[in-house]
């Protein structure tokens, strides 16, 4: 299951990149064969009497429900088969499997058990795949709107306890992704960072900022692991600069050839032409970010201890018992990495502005969007306090942490609006002057 550099060019089978308002989006150029999925499931689950049906599609995956019946037909077991697009060949699947295994072995977090997987595309399906446990319960999003504030507190308090356990038991000395030591190539092992768990190491980061898009695999990318948050951010900015440099080169070649379609597969859309027009502004904005980076990430005060964080903890990825509200599982651990403590904040569903004054309670069946928004804002303010009490994470909301998170967020906005990024820089510099810094 260990890749070699020579494998890389052929691993884009079935993948194409499309564009939307927020950037490149992966899409399936080839649909996985369901008969092959059935055959793989029978082989690895040791069951003949099973059925497979399409369940859902995500950003990078197609998910199938496997139902295994007993010989009597009275009992059934369910599993999940997930086929994965080769957005970051080998590393995305290998790191997610390793993360799940470490969590199951060393924490109490309820995460799926992995029964079989293939990190390569050298199999009958032609895609990387995973067979894992189907978590019981219902998606939190199905019950959340109807829960009382007290019911929501039960769930949020438990999530806070899990967050605290992650920060206490999953502390590391580098930013990157987790891997089983035995699965990494010799080259990756040379730069990997050891952990307190001997079977696992921190290796190349699996981060969509670094792999998303047609051009990213063609450029030189420093994928870590990184020994400081400063090194991590510098690597992200370098990837952005190299990506835009390649875009300009390909655009020039396209125009010089006088054709409507690029001769390179990495440049095929009008969106690329439009983005190329913005490249000088993006480069200038990155330079401005580089100029303020030392004031936010001083060399003599770099973060050097990191935690494992589920950055996409939302209503869709938390499973609960709809009666007891006990959390039965936390799913979707792909692209989960170690991060600086300042990046470890609230679950996505709790983010937002504070609202301390309680608005008028909602009447049953109220559909007024303004009243609903105010009520949810007030509820989330209360729930964040519950989360902080359980997780002990209030320290991550000091001004330095907010500035660091703000800086990181600007990198995601570069292609969307350099004006927004420059306004953030202006506000930051103004605040520092007022503070006499």
């Amino acid at each position: 299951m260990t890749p070699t550099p020579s494998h890389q060019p052929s691993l884009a089978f079935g993948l194409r990149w499309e564009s939307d308002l927020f950037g490149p989006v992966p899409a399936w150029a080839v649909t996985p064969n369901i008969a092959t999925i059935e055959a793989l499931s029978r082989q690895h689950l040791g069951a003949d009497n099973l059925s497979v049906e399409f369940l859902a599609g995500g950003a990078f995956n197609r998910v199938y429900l496997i139902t295994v019946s007993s010989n009597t037909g009275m009992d059934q077991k369910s599993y999940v088969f997930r086929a994965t697009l080769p957005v970051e060949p080998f590393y995305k699947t290998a790191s997610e499997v390793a993360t799940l295994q470490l969590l199951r072995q060393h924490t109490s977090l309820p995460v799926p058990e992995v029964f079989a997987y293939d990190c390569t595309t050298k199999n009958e399906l032609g895609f990387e795949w995973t067979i894992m446990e189907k978590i019981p319960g219902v998606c939190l999003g199905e019950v959340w709107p109807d829960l009382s504030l007290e019911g929501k507190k039960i769930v949020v308090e438990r999530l806070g306890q899990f967050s605290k356990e992650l920060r206490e038991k999953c502390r590391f000395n580098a930013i990157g992704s987790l891997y089983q030591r035995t699965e990494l190539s010799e080259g990756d092992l040379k730069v990997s960072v050891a952990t307190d768990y001997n079977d696992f190491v921190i290796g190349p980061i699996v981060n969509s900022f670094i792999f998303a898009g047609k051009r990213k695999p063609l450029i030189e990318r420093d994928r870590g692991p990184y020994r400081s948050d400063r090194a991590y951010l510098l690597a992200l900015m370098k990837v952005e600069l190299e990506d835009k440099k390649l875009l300009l080169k390909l655009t020039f070649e396209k125009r010089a050839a006088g054709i409507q379609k690029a001769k390179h597969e990495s440049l095929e859309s009008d969106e690329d032409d439009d983005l190329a027009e913005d490249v000088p502004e993006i480069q200038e904005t990155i330079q401005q970010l580089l100029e303020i980076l030392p004031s936010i990430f001083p060399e003599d005060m770099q973060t050097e201890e990191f935690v494992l964080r589920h950055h996409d903890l939302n209503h869709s990825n938390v499973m609960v018992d709809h009666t007891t509200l006990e959390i039965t599982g936390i799913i979707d651990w792909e692209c989960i990495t170690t991060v600086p403590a300042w990046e470890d904040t609230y679950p996505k569903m709790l983010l937002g502005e504070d609202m301390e004054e309680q608005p008028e309670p909602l009447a049953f069946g109220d559909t007024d969007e303004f009243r609903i928004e105010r009520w949810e804002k007030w509820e989330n303010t209360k729930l964040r306090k519950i989360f902080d009490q359980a997780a002990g994470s209030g320290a991550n909301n000091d001004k330095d942490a907010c500035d660091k998170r703000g800086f990181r967020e600007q990198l995601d906005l570069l292609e969307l609006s350099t004006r927004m990024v420059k306004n953030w820089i202006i506000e930051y510099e103004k605040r520092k002057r007022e503070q006499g810094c």
Side-chain angles (χ1 to χ4, degrees):
M1 295 185 186
T2 302
T4 63
S6 61
H7 292 166
Q8 291 295 96
S10 64
L11 287 177
F13 169 78
L15 170 66
R16 72 172 187 269
W17 288 97
E18 300 175 346
S19 297
D20 68 8
L21 178 63
F22 300 102
V25 178
W28 293 82
V30 177
T31 301
N33 185 290
I34 200 162
T36 305
I37 293 173
E38 288 181 357
L40 286 168
S41 301
R42 289 190 178 94
Q43 175 187 348
H44 291 279
L45 292 175
D48 292 325
N49 193 16
L50 62 76
S51 62
V52 176
E53 61 179 293
F54 178 73
L55 191 61
F60 306 129
N61 311 298
R62 289 179 67 89
V63 181
Y64 300 81
L65 175 65
I66 307 171
T67 303
V68 179
S69 300
S70 66
N71 293 331
T72 63
M74 299 296 292
D75 298 319
Q76 291 185 336
K77 290 184 178 180
S78 297
Y79 304 85
V80 167
F81 185 104
R82 202 183 66 191
T84 298
L85 283 170
V87 292
E88 190 71 293
F90 171 81
Y91 295 102
K92 189 175 81 67
T93 299
S95 63
E96 181 179 10
V97 169
T99 300
L100 289 171
Q101 291 179 337
L102 184 145
L103 290 172
R104 287 184 63 85
Q105 291 175 23
H106 300 289
T107 76
S108 67
L109 271 70
V111 301
E113 180 178 0
V114 175
F115 295 102
Y117 64 99
D118 193 335
C119 299
T120 77
T121 58
K122 293 188 173 181
N123 56 62
E124 305 94 312
L125 190 63
F127 292 99
E128 300 172 37
W129 57 264
T130 312
I131 298 176
M132 63 181 72
E133 172 188 8
K134 185 180 186 300
I135 296 292
V138 299
C139 171
L140 179 60
E142 293 183 23
V143 299
W144 188 262
D146 298 322
L147 291 182
S148 66
L149 180 58
E150 292 306 312
K152 291 177 180 178
K153 285 180 178 179
I154 292 172
V155 177
V156 168
E157 181 176 27
R158 192 70 180 119
L159 287 174
Q161 292 167 353
F162 286 147
S163 177
K164 181 178 182 180
E165 183 177 1
L166 272 179
R167 285 188 287 110
E168 290 177 347
K169 294 183 178 179
C170 299
R171 305 178 75 89
F172 305 96
N173 295 324
I175 297 174
S177 296
L178 280 164
Y179 297 91
Q180 298 175 82
R181 183 186 296 274
T182 55
E183 291 208 325
L184 285 185
S185 67
E186 183 177 343
D188 285 333
L189 281 174
K190 286 181 179 179
V191 298
S192 68
V193 177
T195 73
D196 291 338
Y197 307 108
N198 291 333
D199 294 337
F200 301 92
V201 296
I202 302 295
I205 196 167
V206 178
N207 183 313
S208 60
F209 191 94
I210 290 179
F211 69 67
K214 296 167 286 189
R215 295 179 303 274
K216 296 288 177 67
L218 305 177
I219 64 174
E220 181 180 349
R221 298 175 292 166
D222 175 6
R223 295 185 294 170
Y226 317 101
R227 288 290 196 165
S228 71
D229 48 5
R230 181 187 176 107
Y232 164 59
L233 289 162
L234 285 170
L236 294 184
M237 286 187 279
K238 183 177 179 181
V239 164
E240 183 68 12
L241 288 170
E242 291 298 317
D243 178 71
K244 298 305 174 284
K245 185 188 299 183
L246 178 58
L247 174 59
L248 287 181
K249 177 178 180 292
L250 295 172
T251 303
F252 175 79
E253 291 177 355
K254 174 182 176 180
R255 292 171 180 171
I259 57 176
Q260 295 302 311
K261 185 175 181 180
K263 62 183 178 180
H264 297 273
E265 290 183 0
S266 52
L267 188 70
E268 298 176 345
S269 65
D270 293 335
E271 289 87 351
D272 290 325
D273 289 339
D274 294 338
L275 181 59
E277 299 294 331
D278 297 332
V279 167
E281 190 73 18
I282 292 173
Q283 292 172 325
E284 178 186 319
T285 306
I286 292 176
Q287 185 57 45
Q288 292 178 358
L289 286 169
L290 284 168
E291 289 171 3
I292 66 170
L293 181 138
S295 66
I296 301 177
F297 300 93
E299 284 197 66
D300 58 346
M301 296 179 63
Q302 295 182 58
T303 302
E304 296 180 341
E305 188 170 59
F306 311 98
V307 297
L308 193 66
R309 176 197 176 221
H310 194 311
H311 67 262
D312 196 21
L313 200 57
N314 57 45
H315 295 124
S316 300
N317 293 331
V318 178
M319 305 296 292
V320 297
D321 182 295
H322 73 280
T323 302
T324 65
L325 298 183
E326 179 65 25
I327 295 176
T328 57
I330 298 175
I331 61 175
D332 198 5
W333 290 84
E334 63 180 357
C335 302
I336 301 303
T337 71
T338 61
V339 299
W342 52 260
E343 205 168 352
D344 181 25
T345 57
Y346 300 108
K348 272 189 173 181
M349 58 191 152
L350 300 183
L351 295 174
E353 299 177 1
D354 282 343
M355 182 176 180
E356 298 295 342
E357 183 177 348
Q358 180 177 346
E360 180 181 347
L362 295 175
F364 179 76
D366 193 338
T367 59
D368 184 276
E369 293 184 4
F370 177 72
R371 287 195 293 270
I372 292 174
E373 181 181 348
R374 283 174 55 80
W375 183 259
E376 290 179 346
K377 185 180 292 187
W378 175 79
E379 271 195 342
N380 276 358
T381 301
K382 296 295 183 184
L383 293 173
R384 283 193 290 272
K385 292 178 180 178
I386 297 296
F387 185 89
D388 278 340
Q389 290 170 2
S393 59
N396 290 339
N397 293 318
D398 61 31
K399 195 59 201 169
D400 285 346
C402 289
D403 284 341
K404 290 177 179 179
R405 284 198 299 274
F407 187 98
R408 170 64 187 88
E409 289 165 2
Q410 303 317 301
L411 301 185
D412 293 323
L413 296 174
L414 283 167
E415 289 189 10
L416 182 65
S417 172
T418 54
R419 180 181 294 275
M420 292 174 64
V421 179
K422 289 185 175 184
N423 286 342
W424 182 87
I425 294 171
I426 290 170
E427 288 299 316
Y428 169 77
E429 292 180 325
K430 177 182 177 183
R431 189 171 67 251
K432 296 299 285 186
R433 287 195 300 270
E434 291 173 348
Q435 294 171 352
C437 299

